[in-house]
């Protein structure tokens, strides 16, 4: 098991090093840079959507869902303040208060 983790860490490091190293005579074109700029939002969306909208294996779109309410608060705070710390802190407090 540790060997697999080590090998996957090596693969991840190597692929990122090849793209990000300034010493290598390799550069990504503007179209590929634009294409790759969408990867982080896609991965984050794939992580948070099931957490927020699926509870106990079923779609949970109601006011009884604290994840949905806290996510809504986070969206509004992010839009209003454009501050990562305010958004994170306040939405976490809202979530924990709803979970009580």
């Amino acid at each position: 098991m540790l060997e697999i983790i080590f090998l996957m860490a090596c693969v991840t490091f190597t692929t990122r090093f090849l793209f990000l190293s300034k010493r290598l005579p390799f550069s990504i074109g503007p179209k590929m840079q634009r294409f790759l700029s969408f990867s982080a939002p896609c991965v984050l969306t794939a992580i948070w959507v099931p957490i927020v909208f699926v509870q106990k294996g079923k779609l949970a779109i109601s006011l009884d869902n604290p994840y949905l309410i806290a996510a809504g608060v986070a969206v509004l705070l992010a839009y209003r303040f454009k501050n990562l710390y305010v958004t994170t802190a306040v939405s976490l407090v809202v979530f924990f208060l709803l979970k009580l």
Side-chain angles (χ1 to χ4, degrees), residues 36-52:
L36 289 174
S37 72
F38 296 108
S39 64
C42 290
V43 169
L44 290 174
T45 302
I47 292 170
W48 72 261
V49 166
I51 294 170
V52 171

Side-chain angles (χ1 to χ4, degrees), residues 12-87:
T12 303
F13 173 79
T14 304
T15 57
R16 294 195 180 167
F17 178 77
L18 290 175
F19 281 116
L20 299 174
S21 177
K22 302 290 183 198
R23 295 178 185 170
L24 296 176
F26 174 77
S27 65
I28 300 173
K31 285 185 180 180
M32 183 57 89
Q33 284 180 347
R34 186 165 187 269
F35 177 73
L36 289 174
S37 72
F38 296 108
S39 64
C42 290
V43 169
L44 290 174
T45 302
I47 292 170
W48 72 261
V49 166
I51 294 170
V52 171
F53 291 109
V54 178
Q55 301 297 315
K56 298 179 183 170
K58 296 183 181 181
L59 188 63
I61 302 176
S62 70
L63 293 178
D64 295 337
N65 184 353
Y67 295 93
L68 183 61
I69 295 171
V73 169
V75 168
L76 294 174
L77 289 169
Y79 179 75
R80 170 68 176 91
F81 293 106
K82 294 176 178 45
N83 185 318
L84 176 69
Y85 301 116
V86 170
T87 302

Side-chain angles (χ1 to χ4, degrees), residues 79-100:
Y79 179 75
R80 170 68 176 91
F81 293 106
K82 294 176 178 45
N83 185 318
L84 176 69
Y85 301 116
V86 170
T87 302
T88 303
V90 175
S91 60
L92 278 172
V93 168
V94 168
F95 176 73
F96 284 120
L97 288 175
L98 289 171
K99 290 291 281 186
L100 289 178

